[in-house]
Amino acid sequence: MRVQSAILSAVTTITKTITVAAGVFAPGHLGELTCQVPFELADAVLEETRTRERRLRVLPSRVGIYFVLALGLFPELGYGGVWDKLTAALDGLGLSSPSPKALRDLRRRIGIAPVKALFDVLAGPAAQPSAPGICFGRYRTVAFDGCTSIKVPDTERNRAWLGKMKAALGVTGYPAVELMTLVETGTRALIGAVFGPPATGETDYARQLLHLLTGGMLVLADRGFDAGAFLAEVAATRAQFLVRLTATRQLPVMARLDDGSFLSRIGELTVRVIPAHVTVACADGTTWTGSYRLATTLTDHRRYPAPALIRLYHERWEHEVAYLALRHTLLNGRVLRSGDPAGLQQEIWALLALYQALRRTMVTAAETVPGTDPDRAGFTIALQAARDTLTAAEGVVTASTDLAGRIGRAVLNGLLPPRRPRVSVRKVKSPLSRWNKADPYRPARSTPVTALTLTVTDPGTTHRNATRRGQRLTAAPGP
């Protein structure tokens, strides 16, 4: 940067130097996020999937990769508006101003394969095992969960692929995609993802991600994943699991352990079952009690005490925070753009790749300050900084040794406070949702938790009470 000051006129002229690819490749960048998706990687996935152009075009395929990713950064803008963002800082280079049709044709030319290949390269655990909140003992905690709230345009071709979901009062207004991901709970980074019609079951999608599990992982999952066959497949990967059981599943007590848990069997698999009541005292003077039965392959009750595992299960909800960032922060709750299945698949893989690039950048920034928990990094802060660097074409090509960069510095300057325990209210936005009726036991508003009590209970008592989803008790007024 060169600064020239004219003291007498009190005017300062700032000349900024940026570095981008040459010629027609100049619009192909993501600002500072280009360090996560460098030119060499974009070229490699195009070569691997044989989608590179045979002759040099005004809109090269590499530019198409970055354009599709940039669509996810600006979901509120049309094709022309996103192109203007990519070229906002590139005046004087004589770049073309393509029509929306030309940009649409560019998307179709590169297709699905290179964008999916890009996500496959970026996907995976993002933090070092020594980072706070990443591991439980020697196991990296991960979680399976599905999402069916990403809406797509209501076109004939999309309906033919996805159908429409049934709801309490009819069918949903828009078709929806079933997204299944495997997430690193400590960072909310994506280890893998699959998606398709919601009619396919969650465990069927999750099975497609089992090859990503390793013996150093501990899988957290809710009651939708407690099927015996699925758990046996998880155990066959040598990963451990901690899964909440459905209320109707009855398991034999084979041996009682000192901490109140007991050994049992699900099919041919030996598991340890932890029946418990969890009671939280809220700041508004009420208490909330829920019954849980957790099954785990961590059978050593001395090394892995029941209260520690009950507290660990709460980390499964970090997966919901990942979906919150994807659906509401990155997408801003908007319906996807594409009116056909091929376009939708390309768009979703691009969104997942973009999300992962942001998460990797956030974790890198957190790790530059030892002892910083990655879940204190704000996704909204990182997203806004990434948008700013793209518009300014900042950090596209850099030899700087600054690991954090502008995005990372913004994240570190705006670290969120350590997580405070609280009871959260389920908020329903769609009247067709199956959750459109309020849970009479759940607190009426989100409120901080002032105390938490864990009680490992008798197996029979817990099972009889498990049909109650919870009980809300009002504290007696003081004198």
Side-chain angles (χ1 to χ4, degrees), residues 12-78:
T12 299
T13 301
I14 299 176
T15 302
K16 186 175 182 180
T17 300
I18 61 174
T19 304
V20 294
V24 294
F25 293 98
H29 69 90
L30 283 179
E32 200 174 87
L33 282 182
T34 311
C35 67
Q36 296 291 341
V37 189
F39 302 149
E40 297 82 2
L41 176 55
D43 289 340
V45 296
L46 289 168
E47 289 286 355
E48 179 185 336
T49 56
R50 299 182 179 181
T51 48
R52 183 192 288 275
E53 66 279 349
R54 296 183 179 180
R55 58 180 176 82
L56 186 60
R57 296 170 177 262
V58 174
L59 294 176
S61 296
R62 183 209 287 178
V63 172
I65 291 286
Y66 291 106
F67 174 72
V68 171
L69 293 171
L71 289 174
L73 279 177
F74 303 99
E76 71 281 5
L77 299 180

Side-chain angles (χ1 to χ4, degrees), residues 121-461:
V121 172
L122 295 175
Q128 297 296 322
S130 58
I134 300 303
C135 290
F136 178 77
R138 67 183 184 89
Y139 297 105
R140 187 185 297 267
T141 56
V142 301
F144 280 115
D145 202 10
C147 169
T148 54
S149 58
I150 297 178
K151 304 298 190 295
V152 307
D154 190 8
T155 66
E156 183 177 350
R157 286 177 290 181
N158 286 345
R159 289 195 301 271
W161 178 39
L162 299 171
K164 279 198 173 184
M165 296 175 59
K166 294 182 179 180
L169 303 178
V171 296
T172 54
Y174 290 99
V177 171
E178 172 82 27
L179 173 64
M180 172 61 59
T181 57
L182 178 64
V183 162
E184 179 184 39
T185 59
T187 64
R188 304 157 197 158
L190 302 178
I191 300 174
V194 291
F195 55 86
T200 303
E202 280 193 335
T203 54
D204 292 326
Y205 281 122
R207 283 187 172 94
Q208 299 177 43
L209 301 175
L210 290 179
H211 67 282
L212 299 172
L213 297 178
T214 68
M217 292 180 176
L218 171 58
V219 179
L220 311 178
D222 67 11
R223 290 169 287 191
F225 297 89
D226 79 332
F230 178 76
L231 295 180
E233 293 177 59
V234 172
T237 68
R238 304 185 68 83
Q240 307 296 323
F241 65 73
L242 177 66
V243 179
R244 188 176 180 184
L245 300 174
T246 55
T248 56
R249 182 183 287 280
Q250 300 186 40
L251 296 176
V253 179
M254 297 175 57
R256 295 180 183 270
L257 303 176
D258 293 342
D259 65 348
S261 60
F262 63 92
L263 297 181
S264 187
R265 294 187 72 83
I266 298 178
E268 299 298 319
L269 187 64
T270 299
V271 297
R272 174 179 163 214
V273 179
I274 305 171
H277 290 312
V278 178
T279 301
V280 294
C282 301
D284 62 358
T286 63
T287 61
W288 160 260
T289 300
S291 296
Y292 289 78
R293 286 193 309 152
L294 306 177
T296 180
T297 47
L298 300 176
T299 56
D300 188 339
H301 66 285
R302 294 182 179 86
R303 179 176 293 181
Y304 307 107
L309 290 174
I310 296 169
R311 286 186 172 89
L312 176 67
Y313 177 75
H314 181 75
E315 293 296 310
R316 188 202 73 78
W317 290 95
E318 297 295 338
H319 208 140
E320 302 292 345
V321 179
Y323 283 143
L324 178 68
L326 181 65
R327 293 181 321 229
H328 297 289
T329 306
L330 189 56
L331 273 176
N332 198 23
R334 292 177 178 271
V335 176
L336 298 184
R337 300 172 184 267
S338 305
D340 62 89
L344 284 177
Q345 292 178 57
Q346 182 197 67
E347 186 176 358
I348 294 170
W349 286 123
L351 283 168
L352 297 175
L354 179 62
Y355 171 92
Q356 184 69 358
L358 283 163
R359 284 293 181 198
R360 286 163 57 113
T361 301
M362 294 162 61
V363 172
T364 298
E367 290 184 337
T368 63
V369 182
T372 302
D373 194 324
D375 69 9
R376 294 183 60 195
F379 189 86
T380 301
I381 294 173
L383 176 59
Q384 186 57 57
R387 288 170 172 166
D388 292 343
T389 65
L390 181 144
T391 304
E394 180 180 338
V396 176
V397 177
T398 177
S400 172
T401 58
D402 181 6
L403 294 177
R406 178 176 171 182
I407 299 173
R409 289 193 299 273
V411 168
L412 293 175
N413 290 336
L415 285 176
L416 303 175
R419 185 70 59 83
R420 296 174 300 169
R422 66 188 179 97
V423 175
S424 183
V425 176
R426 184 187 297 277
K427 294 185 178 180
V428 179
K429 301 297 184 183
S430 171
L432 295 177
S433 169
R434 58 177 174 160
W435 306 109
N436 64 332
K437 294 181 175 60
D439 183 347
Y441 298 111
R442 200 177 186 94
R445 63 180 59 186
S446 297
T447 181
V449 171
T450 57
L452 185 146
T453 304
L454 305 176
T455 307
V456 180
T457 60
D458 177 81
T461 301

Side-chain angles (χ1 to χ4, degrees), residues 59 67 78-81 83 97-108:
L59 294 176
F67 174 72
Y79 286 179
W83 183 262
S97 298
S99 66
K101 179 183 184 304
L103 293 170
R104 184 172 64 248
D105 291 343
L106 176 62
R107 281 191 62 189
R108 290 174 176 169

